Structure formats: structure tokens, C-alpha cells
């Protein structure tokens, strides 16, 4: 006879019973994602480039040649958008080159640097006798009363070294006793005196006719500066000499007019050892009135082809110019 054995009940669990929460399902946010064999998603479509001016899609974009960022459909659109795009158009910056790695400093280099620091080190030694001037900030008030400054009389006669030294009288004005830069404008006086000097010329017989002339239109500038106590005479003038050539022809008396323009007449024109010839230009008012042979004779009689002139009308002009230049240095 077998005995039946009954299973003992398990001991009751102690604490809170959480079994009632076992059937609760997680929400969509907390539910673990499971791999599913869903259909593959389509890749995102690449946005087609569009024109920055008319905003149309472009099949063959034309990019900006500077910034390489903006596209256009045609050169006309690029030209129309340039007034707005030029404010932001910049050339892309090139990548910076990597700095080379620093080499490790050797022990010898460290020792040299340390030695150099020791040599350049300033030694602060307050025991040196540097007088009292550099110690005025260390002064402290004392019991002694404040002393007033009183001038000390200098014995013996004192002479002024500037007044005692002899000096040549300065060429400038009374206020410019040092003889520094001083300039006096004498343009009007120079133009007036030169015009009076060139007022009349002698008539010349050439090519079976008579050549007469007179000066006109004196222009330019002139000054008399004092440089380092010496008076200089500067001028740069120009003027014109009008001439009239008269001759008798089978049809009666005829005449031809012309002008000799003289420019760059300076204070160096007649200076010795200085090549500064003025510019001389000859022109006829109506050259057709003279035949070729007679015109050559008149031009030779005027003598404007060389400087200094060797004859003719220009020799008279040259002599008057030289005489005026000498008189100009005496003018004040």
C-alpha cells in the first residue's frame, strides 16, 4: 500500500505584487522597434538647380565664375542679376596650409637661451651715486621750512655771441635777417619791361620786299627769391612777334602776315655753360600768297631755324632778349 504524498503549497511572497502590470502593452513611443521587411523607401530627389534671376529649372547651369555658388540659365540672366549678386559675390578662400610641426628644442639650445637671459638681465643696484635728480620722487616732507628761489647774480660782463660775430648783410627784407627762404613776385614788372624792350624792330629788305615786325602777348611768371642769403633772378616767359612782309607784284602791292612764337625764355637762356635754348616756331597766316621760292627767302630772312640766330629778324629779337635779361637782374 502506497502512501499518497500531497505537494506543499509554496510560501507566500512578501512585498508588493506587480503581476497585475504584466499584461500592459507599451505605447508607440516606448515600443522597441522590430525589423520588418517593409518595402524600401525611395531616395530623396536631388533638387535641380534653378536660375538665380528668373528661378527656372536649369538643365545645363552656368555658374558664377567668381564665387562658384550661384547658377544662371543664360548670360542675359547673369547680367541682369549682377547688380544684386555683386554685393555677396566673393572668391572662395583657399584652405590654410598646415603649420609645420615644431621641432623639439635641444638641450644645447635651451642652455644658450638661458645664458642669453642671464646676460640681458638688468642688475638693480641702488647703491650707485646717481645724484639727487633721479631721486626726486623719494623726497618726503621734513621739518625744515620751504625755501624760496632767489636768482644769483652773475659776476662779469656777458657778451651776446650772435651780436658779437660779424655777418654779411642779408639780401632779403629787414624781417628776414637770417637769410632764409623769401620770394618776391615780379611777374607784372617783368612782363611790362620785356614788352617795352620788344616794342619796335628795324625793317629789313629781303626778296624784293620789306619785312616789319612788332612783339605782342608777353606771358609767363617771374620772381626774385632769396635762398640762403643770396638773391636769385628767376623767370619763365613767352611772347609772340608778328611780322608783315610787303612786296610789289605785277598785280600791285601784296603782303603776307605771320607769327614767330617764342616760349621757354628762362633765366638760363643766356647763362654760360647752360644749354637752355628757347622754343621758336614760325607760322604764316596765309602761306598760299607766297610762292615756294619767295617763301624760302622770307624764312631765311627771319632766321627762326637755329639758335642763337646768325642774322635776320631773330638776331634783333635775340639781342633785345639778352639786353633785357641783364637789366632784369638789376631790377628790384
Amino acid at each position: 500500500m502506497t502512501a499518497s504524498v500531497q505537494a506543499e503549497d509554496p510560501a507566500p511572497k512578501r512585498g508588493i505584487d506587480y503581476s497585475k502590470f504584466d499584461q500592459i502593452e507599451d505605447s508607440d513611443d516606448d515600443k522597441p522597434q522590430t525589423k520588418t521587411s517593409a518595402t524600401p523607401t525611395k531616395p530623396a530627389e536631388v533638387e535641380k538647380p534653378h536660375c538665380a534671376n528668373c528661378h527656372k529649372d536649369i538643365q545645363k547651369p552656368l555658374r558664377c565664375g567668381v564665387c562658384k555658388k550661384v547658377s544662371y540659365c543664360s548670360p542675359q540672366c547673369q547680367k541682369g542679376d549682377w547688380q544684386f549678386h555683386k554685393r555677396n559675390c566673393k572668391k572662395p578662400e583657399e584652405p590654410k596650409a598646415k603649420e609645420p610641426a615644431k621641432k623639439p628644442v635641444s638641450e644645447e639650445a635651451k642652455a644658450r637661451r638661458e645664458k642669453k637671459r642671464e646676460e640681458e638681465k638688468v642688475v638693480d643696484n641702488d647703491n650707485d651715486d646717481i645724484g639727487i635728480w633721479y631721486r626726486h620722487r623719494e623726497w618726503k616732507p621734513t621739518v625744515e621750512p620751504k625755501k624760496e628761489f632767489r636768482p644769483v647774480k652773475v659776476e662779469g660782463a656777458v657778451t651776446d655771441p650772435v651780436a658779437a660775430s660779424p655777418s654779411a648783410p642779408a639780401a632779403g627784407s629787414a624781417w628776414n635777417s637770417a637769410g632764409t627762404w623769401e620770394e618776391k613776385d615780379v611777374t607784372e614788372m617783368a612782363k611790362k619791361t620785356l614788352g617795352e624792350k620788344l616794342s619796335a624792330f628795324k625793317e629789313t629788305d629781303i626778296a624784293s620786299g620789306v619785312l616789319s615786325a612788332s612783339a605782342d602777348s608777353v606771358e609767363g611768371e617771374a620772381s626774385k627769391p632769396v635762398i640762403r642769403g643770396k638773391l636769385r633772378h628767376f623767370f619763365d616767359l613767352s611772347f609772340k612777334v608778328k611780322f608783315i612782309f610787303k612786296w610789289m607784284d605785277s598785280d600791285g602791292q601784296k603782303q603776307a602776315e605771320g607769327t614767330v612764337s617764342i616760349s621757354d625764355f628762362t633765366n638760363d637762356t643766356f647763362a654760360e655753360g647752360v644749354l637752355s635754348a628757347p622754343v621758336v616756331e614760325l607760322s604764316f597766316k596765309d602761306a598760299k600768297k607766297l610762292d615756294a621760292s619767295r617763301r624760302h627767302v622770307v624764312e631765311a630772312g627771319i632766321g627762326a631755324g637755329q639758335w642763337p640766330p646768325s642774322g635776320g629778324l631773330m638776331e634783333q629779337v635775340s639781342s633785345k632778349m639778352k639786353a633785357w635779361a641783364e637789366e632784369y637782374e638789376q631790377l628790384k
Side-chain angles (χ1 to χ4, degrees):
M1 181 176 180
T2 58
S4 61
V5 180
Q6 294 181 356
E8 297 179 357
D9 295 334
K13 295 181 180 179
R14 297 179 180 180
I16 302 173
D17 185 10
Y18 292 97
S19 60
K20 57 183 178 181
F21 298 105
D22 293 342
Q23 302 301 325
I24 297 176
E25 294 183 358
D26 297 334
S27 63
D28 294 338
D29 296 336
D30 299 332
K31 188 181 292 184
Q33 297 179 357
T34 57
K35 296 181 179 180
T36 58
S37 59
T39 57
T41 58
K42 295 181 180 180
E45 295 182 359
V46 180
E47 184 180 358
K48 293 183 179 180
H50 62 277
C51 180
N53 188 43
C54 63
H55 298 281
K56 293 181 180 179
D57 293 339
I58 314 171
Q59 298 297 332
K60 295 182 180 180
L62 303 175
R63 294 189 181 276
C64 175
V66 180
C67 64
K68 309 292 184 183
K69 295 180 180 179
V70 185
S71 302
Y72 298 96
C73 62
S74 65
Q76 290 77 13
C77 280
Q78 182 181 10
K79 185 176 180 181
D81 187 54
W82 175 244
Q83 58 178 332
F84 307 103
H85 176 58
K86 65 182 179 180
R87 303 172 185 173
N88 303 322
C89 185
K90 294 182 180 180
K91 190 175 182 180
E93 297 181 358
E94 297 181 359
K96 296 181 179 179
K98 296 183 178 179
E99 297 182 357
K102 295 183 179 181
K103 296 181 180 179
V105 183
S106 61
E107 295 295 332
E108 295 181 0
K110 291 181 179 180
R112 286 196 299 268
R113 291 180 182 177
E114 193 66 27
K115 185 178 179 181
K116 188 175 182 179
R117 288 196 194 100
E118 292 293 334
E119 292 176 354
E120 294 178 354
K121 188 176 180 181
V122 178
V123 179
D124 187 8
N125 186 3
D126 290 341
N127 296 326
D128 295 342
D129 184 13
I130 58 175
I132 62 173
W133 172 254
Y134 296 100
R135 298 185 186 276
H136 64 280
R137 294 186 179 179
E138 300 176 5
W139 178 86
K140 296 180 181 180
T142 59
V143 186
E144 298 179 2
K146 184 178 179 181
K147 297 181 180 180
E148 295 182 2
F149 172 77
R150 293 181 179 179
V152 181
K153 184 178 180 180
V154 179
E155 301 294 337
V158 180
T159 58
D160 187 1
V162 177
S165 59
S167 58
S173 303
W175 57 267
N176 189 13
S177 58
T180 56
W181 176 273
E182 176 187 354
E183 186 174 7
K184 181 180 179 182
D185 187 10
V186 293
T187 301
E188 296 302 325
M189 179 181 62
K191 291 164 64 174
K192 180 182 178 182
T193 54
L194 180 59
E196 294 174 353
K197 198 72 174 178
L198 301 172
S199 59
F201 298 96
K202 295 181 180 179
E203 294 183 350
T204 308
D205 296 334
I206 53 173
S208 303
V210 179
L211 179 68
S212 59
S214 61
D216 187 20
S217 303
V218 179
E219 300 293 339
E221 56 185 12
S223 62
K224 288 180 175 288
V226 176
I227 304 173
R228 296 181 180 179
K230 186 177 180 180
L231 181 62
R232 311 297 175 100
H233 312 278
F234 294 157
F235 61 87
D236 187 356
L237 303 173
S238 61
F239 59 91
K240 294 181 179 179
V241 177
K242 296 183 178 180
F243 63 87
I244 301 175
F245 175 65
K246 298 178 181 180
W247 76 98
M248 293 297 297
D249 200 358
S250 58
D251 298 334
Q253 185 177 5
K254 293 184 178 182
Q255 68 178 22
E257 300 179 4
T259 304
V260 180
S261 301
I262 301 174
S263 58
D264 292 346
F265 173 36
T266 66
N267 47 286
D268 293 331
T269 301
F270 297 100
E272 296 182 1
V274 180
L275 183 60
S276 180
V279 179
V280 181
E281 297 179 352
L282 172 63
S283 61
F284 286 91
K285 188 175 181 180
D286 190 0
K288 295 180 180 180
K289 293 182 178 180
L290 292 170
D291 54 15
S293 59
R294 193 183 296 273
R295 179 176 176 178
H296 288 315
V297 176
V298 173
E299 290 178 353
I302 295 174
Q306 60 179 359
W307 187 269
S310 57
L313 174 63
M314 286 305 301
E315 185 177 8
Q316 299 184 49
V317 177
S318 174
S319 62
K320 289 180 178 292
M321 290 167 60
K322 186 175 182 180
W324 177 86
E326 295 175 352
E327 294 175 0
Y328 173 74
E329 295 184 1
Q330 307 300 326
L331 297 176
K332 295 183 180 180

